[in-house]
Amino acid sequence: MSDQPNPSPVPALEAAADAVRQQLGLAGFDAAGVARLDHFITAQRGQVAAGQRQGVVQAFGCYLGECLVRAHGGEWAAGPDGSTGVGLAGRLFFNPFYLVSQQLDKGEAASVAAFFASVPGRLGAPVAGRKRWIS
């Protein structure tokens, strides 16, 4: 066993996000970029071959995740189930790869742009308190 800690995956996630930004000609990691990503996913839905799907989800998820990091002050993190995603405000966790996969499956009903637009409201929402069943 090695005493060396595992290297952080963040640089690879950031590099993949930047590669998508450059490939799609996106100006930055912001709402406008996510809107263009959303349109691109919609246009490509029926054209992604099964063998390419995982790579597409991974690449686009990196871009979406980096937009969450930069636009909303998030950080790449591991979720409770070990999945990679973005933590926000120390209380929210989103898996951008799942979100991209859902839009590929369901189309606009699972729009990444609509999700991204909902984040400020989610950040401002009060933390759910414990329910009191007996008053």
Side-chain angles (χ1 to χ4, degrees):
M1 287 190 126
S2 172
D3 290 337
Q4 298 290 331
N6 290 334
S8 170
V10 173
L13 295 167
E14 292 171 338
D18 196 51
V20 169
R21 183 192 62 74
Q22 290 177 27
Q23 269 190 324
L24 297 183
L26 304 173
F29 298 94
D30 54 17
V34 174
R36 293 215 22 226
L37 176 67
D38 183 282
H39 292 299
F40 191 80
I41 292 170
T42 297
Q44 297 299 311
R45 272 187 75 216
Q47 300 175 22
V48 176
Q52 297 175 326
R53 183 183 169 93
Q54 185 57 38
V56 168
V57 168
Q58 186 72 22
F60 291 170
C62 285
Y63 179 78
L64 178 59
E66 192 62 19
C67 288
L68 287 166
V69 167
R70 295 190 190 192
H72 297 296
E75 63 182 334
W76 286 102
D81 62 354
S83 63
T84 299
V86 176
L88 295 169
R91 63 183 177 88
L92 299 173
F93 179 82
F94 300 109
N95 182 327
F97 309 103
Y98 174 78
L99 295 166
V100 168
S101 181
Q102 287 296 292
Q103 185 170 347
L104 280 171
D105 289 343
K106 299 178 182 176
E108 285 301 310
S111 165
V112 296
F115 162 79
F116 194 81
S118 77
V119 171
R122 294 169 189 248
L123 288 170
V127 177
R130 188 173 179 160
K131 297 210 183 267
R132 300 183 80 193
W133 298 107
I134 302 174
S135 327

